[in-house]
Structure formats: C-alpha cells, structure tokens
Amino acid sequence: MSFSFITLILLTIWINMAQLQQGGPDEKEKTTALKDLLSRIDLDELMKKDEPPLEFPDTLEGFEYAFNEKGQLRHIKTGEPFVFNYREDLHRWNQKRYEALGEIITKYVYELLEKECHLKKVTLPVDATESEPKSFIFMSEDALTNPDKLMVLIHGSGVVRAGQWARRLIINEDLDSGTQIPYIKRAIEEGYGVIVLNPNENYIEVEKTKAQVQLSSDSSDEPAEKRERKDKIQKETKKRRDFYEKYRNPQKEKETVQLYIRDNGSPEEHAVYVWDHFIAESAAENVYFVAHSYGGLAFVELMIQREADVKNKVTAVALTDSVHNVWHQEAGKTVREWMRENCCNWVSSSEPLDTSVESMLPDCPRVSAGPLPKRGEIFRKINEIESSDMKTA
C-alpha cells in the first residue's frame, strides 16, 4: 500500500467528518464513529502492508554491487552508483536494505585492514573468557615494539566501526574518502606503528528468549493499581491491533537484548581500556592521535582520567570536527593548557585550509579543514611537530 493511497483514505475520512458535523444527531453519531476509526488506525503498521520481507543478501555480490579500481561502489550490471530508493514509497524497507549493505561494508573494511594494511585483529578484553561478549581492535605488528612513534586512530559515533570515518562516504563516494585506510598506509610508510580503535563496538545483540520477553512486560514491583491500569491499556491496544489485522501485514521483527562488553561498554571506556592495556605499554617515545567527531570527546575523557600518563607519552593530537566540550567534561586548567599547546581541531569550513576559526571554548586552536579534506595535511603537521622537537632537543 503506497503512502499516497493511505493519505487519500485518511483525507476522505476527514472530509466525511467535516460534512457530517454540519448535520443533526444521526450525523454527529456517525462523526463520533469515524473519529473512533481514526484513533484505531496505526499508520506505521498500515505502511507495512504489502512490504517485502526484510530479508537481504549477506554479500556485496548478492546485492549486485562491487568496489571498482577507484574504490567506488558500483552496480555490477549497470555501473551506476548505489541507489537508496530501490523501491518507491517504501522508505522503511529501503532504510533496512541500506543498513544491511552497511553491515557488509563494515566486514569488507575489516578484511581490507588485515589484507591490504597488514594489521592484526586483537580481541578485547584481553582476558576474555570463551563465553563472554567480546570486541576487538586492529594494530600493526610493530605497534607495541616500535621505539620511535605510534599513530592511534579513533573514529566518531554512530554505525561506523574500526577502519571507517563515515559509512555514507564509503557508499556514495569511495573507500579513500570514507575509511581510515589512506591514513594507515601513509603512517606505515612513514615508519609509524598503528593502533585502530573500535569505540562503537560496545555490546552484542542476542535474540530474547520467550522468558525474557515475558519478564520485560511483567512489572511485578509496581503497585497493583498501576499494574492493572497498564494491563487494561495493553489489552485495549491488542484488541485494536487484532481488529485491523486483516488490513495489515506487519513483519514481526525479533526482540533483542544487549549484552555489554566488559570494560568497553562506551567509547570513553574503550579509549581508556586500550590506553591502559596497549598504548601505555607500547615502546614508542612519541604517540600521535587522530580523532574524529566523538572520538575527540573520547580522547579528552582519556586525558582527564590519565592526565599525567598522556602528557608523558603523547606528542600531538589532530582532531577533525571534534565534538568535545572542556566545560561539560569538566576538564581542569592543566588539561586545557596542554590541549592548547598540543592539539589542533580541523573543522568543516569554506575558508582556506588552516585559516583560524573562532572558538567559544578555551581549549585547542580551531582551524579550517578547507573546502575539501586533505588527508596529507595531518601528516604534514605531525612532521612539522617532529622537526621542531628535534631542533629543540
């Protein structure tokens, strides 16, 4: 059932109601009946009528897409870029399809990190049992033994995972724009050890058992009166849904429960955990961070919690569109002073590259990333810092 058809039905009901309101008692009774009908309609469920099954391929080939030699996602037969509106008037289905493709791309990027960048996958927690939820990071073979320098990459929030900056850019632009791979390859070429964090991998989802579903809908601790009222509402809701079952074909999506990963239940926890178990233990004399968006907030939280250690080991931090806030995060004066000297935040701006951008917060300098991001600029800045350190020494 298309959205326009549903709209036509609702509009017809409203017109009839408006006409009936002009009449006598019989018409008013019909108006009341129509209002009751409207109150019973669940538009979200109506939109699911005749919706194709939410079943999608689990490979790029199944989607009939592949990355070409330029790293662009293209349709295998037509050569066209990815099309979001694969089926008209089915936004929910199209979104689910997009998400399914995104999960495949996440796995594809993981493979590239191992095969092209020659990084190894390391399980977290480091002492995880076989049965508990686990996460992982990626690192170069020399990440912990390189005596000179180490590069640490932290992405932002949302659906992205290790090795990605933005899923949208991977799908709509190319791998170089949306992944961390160009940074990783350049870092390795210039003699850095590399650690790639995975701050959004905080839990695993498992399907709820029938007992868990029953328990979640059961509120035995609530007062009897409140529980009875809730039960009554639930019964009325179920009655309305059952009444319209013949007009709907809702797809029953699985109910899941989230099992959080020990000591890695949030991006901030993850950053501190990786610092304690890997970065702090590394041999590198100079550690450099590149952190995007929420990754910048995670770094500032790490700085707050491990201030002395970070100051001792970290040489420079390149932030990109960081969303950190030194006031909300209650960063102390010494943290803010260190950030002013050792951090720089490149932000989206139409101004030329490196043009100073006004900041309301007393932390690190903010400068323009230019009309188009230039990946090499991060390394140029870091190399400048290295050169100045050598001259000072």
Side-chain angles (χ1 to χ4, degrees):
M1 182 182 291
S2 68
F3 180 73
S4 56
F5 182 61
I6 294 171
T7 305
L8 181 62
I9 293 173
L10 296 177
L11 185 60
T12 302
I13 294 174
W14 279 112
I15 291 171
N16 287 334
M17 285 174 56
Q19 292 174 342
L20 290 170
Q21 283 176 340
Q22 308 298 323
D26 290 343
E27 282 74 12
K28 288 182 179 179
E29 186 176 336
K30 291 177 182 178
T31 301
T32 302
L34 283 172
K35 284 182 178 179
D36 179 64
L37 177 62
L38 276 175
S39 70
R40 292 169 182 263
I41 292 176
D42 187 331
L43 188 57
D44 287 336
E45 294 294 341
L46 273 173
M47 291 293 288
K48 296 178 185 177
K49 181 172 174 57
D50 296 330
E51 182 182 65
L54 298 176
E55 298 172 358
F56 305 100
D58 57 5
T59 64
L60 279 177
E61 292 76 12
F63 270 95
E64 296 188 326
Y65 280 96
F67 286 99
N68 62 22
E69 66 281 356
K70 296 180 180 178
Q72 301 166 323
L73 187 68
R74 293 292 183 264
H75 195 276
I76 293 172
K77 296 178 180 177
T78 67
E80 294 296 315
F82 177 75
V83 176
F84 178 85
N85 290 315
Y86 188 75
R87 292 176 182 263
E88 291 186 9
D89 298 329
L90 287 174
H91 179 82
R92 176 177 175 273
W93 187 89
N94 288 329
Q95 179 62 33
K96 294 290 185 182
R97 173 175 172 265
Y98 177 81
E99 292 170 6
L101 176 64
E103 291 303 310
I104 294 170
I105 286 174
T106 291
K107 295 175 183 176
Y108 182 79
V109 172
Y110 288 160
E111 291 177 8
L112 293 179
L113 293 180
E114 293 185 283
K115 293 178 181 178
E116 285 197 10
C117 300
H118 307 293
L119 304 185
K120 60 180 180 179
K121 189 177 182 180
V122 180
T123 301
L124 305 181
V126 293
D127 59 346
T129 63
E130 189 174 340
S131 59
E132 73 173 300
K134 304 174 190 65
S135 178
F136 50 87
I137 58 174
F138 290 88
M139 62 172 65
S140 61
E141 289 292 340
D142 68 337
L144 302 183
T145 58
N146 188 318
D148 186 14
K149 49 193 180 182
L150 173 67
M151 177 76 71
V152 181
L153 301 176
I154 316 179
H155 59 62
S157 60
V159 297
V160 291
R161 294 294 186 269
Q164 301 181 46
W165 291 130
R167 177 185 286 181
R168 179 181 59 81
L169 290 178
I170 297 173
I171 292 175
N172 298 318
E173 298 294 333
D174 54 46
L175 289 167
D176 276 3
S177 299
T179 73
Q180 298 172 351
I181 290 172
Y183 283 83
I184 295 166
K185 288 183 175 179
R186 177 76 178 273
I188 292 172
E189 286 172 6
E190 299 199 10
Y192 291 82
V194 175
I195 295 181
V196 179
L197 271 63
N198 202 8
N200 293 335
E201 192 77 9
N202 307 129
Y203 56 82
I204 62 170
E205 283 189 325
V206 296
E207 188 176 356
K208 280 186 178 180
T209 63
K210 289 184 179 181
Q212 287 173 318
V213 173
Q214 179 63 33
L215 186 62
S216 64
S217 61
D218 218 11
S219 303
S220 56
D221 293 337
E222 292 180 342
E225 184 180 348
K226 185 176 181 180
R227 191 163 63 248
E228 288 174 8
R229 186 165 62 251
K230 183 181 285 187
D231 289 343
K232 183 179 179 182
I233 293 171
Q234 288 174 343
K235 287 177 181 177
E236 289 176 353
T237 301
K238 185 177 185 304
K239 185 178 179 181
R240 286 199 301 272
R241 288 180 180 276
D242 290 344
F243 180 80
Y244 284 99
E245 189 66 37
K246 63 181 177 181
Y247 298 109
R248 297 181 285 111
N249 182 27
Q251 299 192 48
K252 307 296 183 184
E253 296 187 57
K254 296 175 181 178
E255 291 190 66
T256 59
V257 60
Q258 296 174 346
L259 302 179
Y260 280 84
I261 296 162
R262 175 164 53 91
D263 298 328
N264 288 268
S266 71
E268 297 90 330
E269 270 192 4
H270 177 75
V272 172
Y273 186 88
V274 175
W275 175 273
D276 288 344
H277 291 82
F278 298 94
I279 304 170
E281 301 297 320
S282 68
E285 185 177 346
N286 299 290
V287 176
Y288 302 91
F289 275 79
V290 178
H292 176 63
S293 186
Y294 200 89
L297 184 149
F299 173 80
V300 172
E301 189 61 32
L302 168 64
M303 178 79 193
I304 292 169
Q305 294 193 36
R306 301 288 187 272
E307 182 178 349
D309 293 337
V310 169
K311 285 181 176 179
N312 183 55
K313 204 164 182 67
V314 176
T315 301
V317 181
L319 305 172
T320 58
D321 282 321
S322 175
V323 297
H324 70 274
N325 187 303
V326 292
W327 292 137
H328 292 167
Q329 293 181 257
E330 299 181 351
K333 181 182 178 182
T334 54
V335 169
R336 298 197 302 272
E337 289 175 347
W338 186 90
M339 289 182 64
R340 275 196 291 272
E341 295 296 322
N342 298 276
C343 300
C344 184
N345 188 12
W346 278 269
V347 298
S348 300
S349 171
S350 59
E351 296 295 322
L353 179 69
D354 287 341
T355 302
S356 180
V357 177
E358 187 178 355
S359 174
M360 299 295 290
L361 297 174
D363 53 12
C364 60
R366 297 171 83 241
V367 297
S368 172
L372 291 172
K374 295 186 178 180
R375 293 180 294 274
E377 293 305 317
I378 298 295
F379 290 94
R380 181 172 66 80
K381 295 297 178 183
I382 288 174
N383 287 336
E384 287 177 2
I385 293 168
E386 285 186 272
S387 299
S388 62
D389 286 348
M390 287 173 66
K391 289 176 183 176
T392 303

